[in-house]
Amino acid sequence: MEILGRERRRRWADAEKLEILAAVGLNGETLARVARRYDVSRSQIYNWRRQFKKRGLLPTPVGPTFLPFDIGAPMLNAAPALEERMVSPAMVELCLTQGRRLRFDSGIEGATLTRLIRSVEAA
């Protein structure tokens, strides 16, 4: 890190930015705690993440991606389920935001399911 001029503006090297980005989520670290530890704003970390993602330099997570869900949450604006429709025991139905639903075989690969969920959520 380099401090320049009277305003003491910091210049971060790409390696330092990537180190800070990698610290988020590591061992349960939140973005706010990482921002405080490195004395940067949360918005700055979001900006760096967006910039690295746009340049294709943000490393993709190696392990599975877990998405939050609530089993007992009421579905707002969702069509009622058809009681008479038979669903195979190997089929899984995932309710996403805005009432969207995905039905897929329980044997689907994790990477394929992650790409599918991201595509549907981005649409």
Side-chain angles (χ1 to χ4, degrees):
M1 177 177 54
E2 183 179 347
I3 300 176
L4 302 173
R6 293 170 88 174
E7 72 277 354
R8 301 179 55 88
R9 184 175 205 152
R10 294 178 290 181
R11 303 277 185 202
W12 297 88
D14 282 350
E16 292 171 316
K17 293 176 187 178
L18 285 171
E19 176 187 334
I20 293 170
L21 290 173
V24 176
L26 189 64
N27 297 325
E29 281 295 316
T30 64
L31 188 131
R33 281 192 282 192
V34 171
R36 278 193 300 270
R37 183 176 345 128
Y38 288 96
D39 193 29
V40 296
S41 69
R42 290 177 295 168
S43 63
Q44 184 64 63
I45 294 176
Y46 285 121
N47 285 334
W48 289 342
R49 185 184 294 167
R50 185 177 24 81
Q51 289 170 357
F52 280 112
K53 191 174 186 179
K54 189 184 293 185
R55 291 170 31 197
L57 299 175
L58 191 63
T60 56
V62 177
T65 301
F66 295 98
L67 302 172
F69 71 96
D70 187 356
I71 294 174
M75 291 289 299
L76 301 176
N77 301 328
L82 299 175
E83 297 297 328
E84 59 273 355
R85 184 170 181 167
M86 296 298 293
V87 178
S88 164
M91 292 296 292
V92 176
E93 180 175 292
L94 181 64
C95 299
L96 302 172
T97 59
Q98 300 177 355
R100 296 177 177 148
R101 295 171 185 225
L102 284 178
R103 290 188 183 106
F104 50 89
D105 186 84
S106 60
I108 191 170
E109 293 182 9
T112 304
L113 180 58
T114 301
R115 285 195 310 269
L116 180 62
I117 291 170
R118 287 182 179 155
S119 298
V120 170
E121 287 292 324

